[in-house]
């Protein structure tokens, strides 16, 4: 490698590919290093890429990217042991550009994105793990990978949740069982027609379903089910601490989730073809470390830039946006010929102006709210038993919904507590 | 759908196993551990308890990082496998 790189990007996930693509497009000499045999081969996500961020970088990306289905139906389901209550949102508006979100499978999506980086003039090396940073005093000046020392003006750490690069630069996120959730997922193969009929979606439309309650046996976490073209992505996400405290294994929760009457019928006849696991930072803004130092910027999961609101998990769009902001900052630094932290501080300014830090700030209280055990154990069960009473015709004199609700709550939660939780939810969901 | 064993699950994935383990366990520390969180948090069940003794095998590892984050005794020396090695997903 004779070329002298302006920037080296560590990691070929959405953050790294977005950064490298932006830099290559801008005419900078950029190297992307990915440890997997190809980009995406190590990666897993639940699966919805939300929002129009990628459209800003690659207009109408859905026409060329290997996306699965656009989300045309959102469902939130509360589960008790045997019953379920759902909120089902269908909209024709979700069926048109700009779409609301797309389900993706990472081994395909990331690979496509890394190819785009190459096409734009970036150098992509796969199958190589970056082991260390190169230093000149207090300044990062390159990487060490596969025994080679590769210099560059700046390094962008996009190496995901267990970021070794950020750690080496002293910017690492303090990961603990309380602020990290574990996701386990199955990809279940299913015929296209079956998916469309069963999930009530047409063409390339798809369903994004989130579950709360019995899917995690009432502990901190939730379940998900997304439709792909010819498969389903099904999984549970649980706080590590909840597993430890309750002597639970995610895979047992996953089996229980699959066996629940509300889920069993949806996956019937499908064949499991993959089992994967991955962590996701879930501590919100207070978990976000210092984002830059001399010669280094931290992006995506490596910087814990993930929004967990209890409604959904958004990390892909945050990874993309932070990768793009890091690249814009590097372009500015290149123009000035100055890669010091003073210049790189522009990165934080860009993030503060965009949805990335704004949303994290807005939902700053979410992490605390999501600690509330009642959210996973009490309320899903209440919703189910209340619905059962409302809908069951048992020949006895009818009561109003309000009377039934009061009866259900009795001894389980006080009106005052419910009100307080409701108010907190208003600020955090 | 019937229940799957962890071995059946892991067999769905492709592995290129490195002879050098990427994760090492200081078993002498584990002897004093009561919590044994690794047994619950490892989604690949790479940690096993036999007669109270914890053993570890890196072959089925899904490279998630849960074990070293959860071990309060710092008994785990953790890294990703060298480039090329470890698990490969076809879907992801
Ligand atoms: C179960 C689950 C469900 C989720 N669901 C959603 C969802 O529906 N929607 C959403 O928006 N977000 C979701 N997320 C979050 C989202 O997946 C992440 O936020 C996102 O993938 C982060 O992207 P990234 O580029 O920062 O990191 P990653 O995608 O983790 O990419 C990091 C890359 O760096 C590589 N790498 C790591 N170390 C090295 C090294 N030393 N040398 C070379 N390469 C290295 C890795 O192989 C990888 O390719 C979910 C997460 C989980 C776990
Ligand atoms: S690895 Fe850590 S958690 Fe597991 S037994 Fe050893 S000391 Fe305990
Ligand atoms: S990294 Fe994850 S899969 Fe691998 S041994 Fe640790 S907990 Fe198990």
């Amino acid at each position: 490698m004779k070329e002298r790189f302006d920037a080296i990007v560590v990691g070929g996930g959405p953050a790294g590919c977005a950064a490298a693509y932006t830099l290559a497009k801008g005419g900078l000499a950029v190297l992307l290093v990915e440890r997997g045999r190809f980009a995406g081969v190590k990666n897993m996500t639940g699966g919805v890429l939300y929002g129009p961020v990628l459209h800003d970088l690659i207009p109408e990306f859905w026409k060329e990217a290997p996306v699965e289905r656009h989300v045309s139906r959102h469902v939130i389901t509360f589960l008790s042991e045997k019953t379920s209550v759902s909120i089902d949102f269908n909209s024709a508006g979700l069926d048109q550009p700009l779409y609301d979100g797309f389900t993706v499978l990472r081994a395909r999506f990331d690979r496509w994105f890394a190819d785009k980086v190459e096409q734009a003039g970036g150098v992509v090396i796969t199958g190589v793990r970056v082991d260390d940073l190169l230093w000149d005093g207090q300044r990062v000046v390159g990487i060490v990978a596969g025994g080679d020392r590769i210099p560059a003006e700046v390094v962008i750490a996009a190496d995901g949740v267990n970021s070794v690069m950020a750690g080496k630069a002293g910017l690492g996120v303090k990961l603990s069982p309380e602020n990290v959730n574990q996701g386990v997922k199955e990809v279940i193969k299913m015929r296209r027609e079956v998916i469309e009929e069963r999930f009530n979606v047409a063409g390339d439309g798809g369903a994004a379903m989130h579950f709360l309650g019995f899917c995690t046996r009432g502990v901190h976490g939730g379940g998900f089910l997304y439709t792909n073209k010819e498969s389903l992505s099904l999984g549970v996400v649980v706080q590590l601490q909840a597993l430890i405290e309750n002597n639970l294994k995610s895979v047992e929760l996953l089996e229980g989730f699959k066996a629940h009457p509300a889920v069993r019928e949806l996956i019937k006849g499908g064949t499991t073809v993959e089992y994967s696991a991955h962590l996701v930072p879930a501590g919100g803004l207070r978990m976000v470390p210092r984002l830059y130092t001399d010669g280094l910027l931290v992006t995506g999961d490596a910087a814990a830039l993930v929004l967990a609101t209890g409604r959904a998990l958004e990390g892909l769009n945050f990874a993309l946006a932070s990768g793009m902001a890091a690249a814009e900052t590097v372009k500015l630094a290149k123009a000035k010929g100055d890669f010091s932290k003073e210049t790189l501080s522009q990165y934080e300014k860009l993030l503060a102006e965009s949805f990335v830090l704004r949303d994290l700030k807005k939902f700053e209280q979410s992490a605390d709210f999501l600690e509330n055990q009642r959210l996973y154990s009490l309320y899903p069960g209440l919703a189910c038993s209340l619905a059962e009473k409302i809908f069951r015709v048992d020949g006895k004199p009818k009561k109003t919904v309000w009377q039934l609700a009061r009866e259900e709550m009795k001894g389980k939660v006080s009106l005052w507590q419910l009100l307080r939780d409701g108010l907190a939810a208003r600020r955090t969901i | 759908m019937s229940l799957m064993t962890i071995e059946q699950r892991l067999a769905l994935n492709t592995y290129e196993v490195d002879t050098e383990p990427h994760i090492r366990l200081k078993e002498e520390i584990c002897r004093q551990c009561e919590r044994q969180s690794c047994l619950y948090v490892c989604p690949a069940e790479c940690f096993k308890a036999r007669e109270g003794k914890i053993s570890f095998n890196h072959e089925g590892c899904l490279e998630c990082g849960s074990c070293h984050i959860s071990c309060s005794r710092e008994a785990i020396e953790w890294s990703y496998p060298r480039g090329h090695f470890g698990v490969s997903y076809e879907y992801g």
Side-chain angles (χ1 to χ4, degrees), chain B residues 23 42-44 46-47 56 61-67 78:
Chain B
I23 295 171
C42 178
C46 294
F47 297 80
F56 173 75
C61 175
L62 296 167
E63 302 168 24
C64 68
S66 305
C67 53
W78 189 91

Side-chain angles (χ1 to χ4, degrees), chain A residues 151-214:
Chain A
E153 300 291 352
V154 67
V155 173
I156 297 179
D159 50 342
V161 60
N162 295 294
S163 176
V164 175
M165 294 305 119
K168 299 239 182 214
L171 306 183
V173 176
K174 184 83 194 81
L175 298 174
S176 71
E178 290 81 14
N179 65 17
V180 179
N181 292 356
Q182 180 185 80
V184 291
K185 162 175 153 179
E186 280 184 22
V187 175
I188 300 173
K189 250 197 145 23
M190 193 172 272
R191 289 213 331 277
R192 213 189 157 104
E193 312 81 74
V194 178
I195 292 178
E196 283 158 21
E197 199 178 295
R198 202 173 278 181
F199 289 87
N200 192 21
V201 292
D204 286 329
M209 311 178 78
H210 297 114
F211 299 81
L212 269 180
F214 194 74

Side-chain angles (χ1 to χ4, degrees), chain A residues 10-15 33-35 42-48 50 106 128-130 158-160 183 224 226 237 278-280 300-301 306 313-317 319, chain B residues 80:
Chain A
V10 183
V33 189
E34 163 58 43
R35 69 188 181 91
K42 297 285 186 185
N43 301 339
M44 174 269 249
T45 194
V48 184
Y50 294 100
R106 299 286 302 278
V128 173
R129 183 186 68 187
V130 178
D159 50 342
F224 62 83
Y226 303 124
V237 178
H278 203 85
L279 296 180
V280 58
D301 277 10
V306 175
L313 202 53
E314 294 184 34
L316 296 167
N317 47 348
Chain B
Y80 286 122

Side-chain angles (χ1 to χ4, degrees), chain B residues 14-51:
Chain B
T14 313
Y15 289 92
E16 180 102 24
V17 178
D18 199 346
T19 45
E20 280 290 296
H22 58 284
I23 295 171
R24 284 171 198 281
L25 189 62
K26 297 175 195 154
E27 286 174 24
E28 64 288 357
I29 299 183
C30 300
R31 262 177 243 143
Q32 286 129 49
C33 178
E34 280 169 20
R35 197 75 274 276
Q36 303 186 332
S37 343
C38 53
L39 293 179
Y40 301 97
V41 300
C42 178
E45 300 186 11
C46 294
F47 297 80
K48 295 260 176 342
R50 273 189 213 98
E51 290 150 22

Side-chain angles (χ1 to χ4, degrees), chain A residues 2 4 35 77 79 127 143 182 192 240 297 325 328 405:
Chain A
K2 287 275 176 303
R4 162 95 195 174
R35 69 188 181 91
T77 300
L79 299 177
I143 58 161
Q182 180 185 80
R192 213 189 157 104
L240 277 179
L297 298 154
E328 290 305 331

Side-chain angles (χ1 to χ4, degrees), chain A residues 35 37 41-45 105-108 127-129 162 175-177 182 184-189 240 244-245 247-249 251 254-255 258 267 270 272-279, chain B residues 1-6 9-10 12-14 16 22 35 37 39-45 62-66 68-70 78-92:
Chain A
R35 69 188 181 91
R37 280 188 292 116
V41 76
K42 297 285 186 185
N43 301 339
M44 174 269 249
T45 194
L105 292 167
R106 299 286 302 278
R108 296 166 185 181
V128 173
R129 183 186 68 187
N162 295 294
L175 298 174
S176 71
Q182 180 185 80
V184 291
K185 162 175 153 179
E186 280 184 22
V187 175
I188 300 173
K189 250 197 145 23
L240 277 179
I244 298 170
E245 266 171 19
N247 292 355
L248 282 171
K249 292 179 184 175
V251 67
L254 184 67
E255 292 284 6
K258 284 171 69 182
I267 62 174
T272 301
V273 289
E274 186 164 278
Y275 171 64
S276 55
H278 203 85
L279 296 180
Chain B
M1 265 190 246
S2 56
L3 295 187
M4 293 169 81
T5 65
I6 194 72
R9 290 181 169 281
L10 299 178
L12 298 170
N13 304 330
T14 313
E16 180 102 24
H22 58 284
R35 197 75 274 276
S37 343
L39 293 179
Y40 301 97
V41 300
C42 178
E45 300 186 11
L62 296 167
E63 302 168 24
C64 68
S66 305
H68 81 104
I69 293 169
S70 306
W78 189 91
S79 75
Y80 286 122
R82 290 187 291 161
H84 261 284
F85 289 104
V87 71
S88 285
Y89 296 133
E90 190 186 334
Y91 302 90

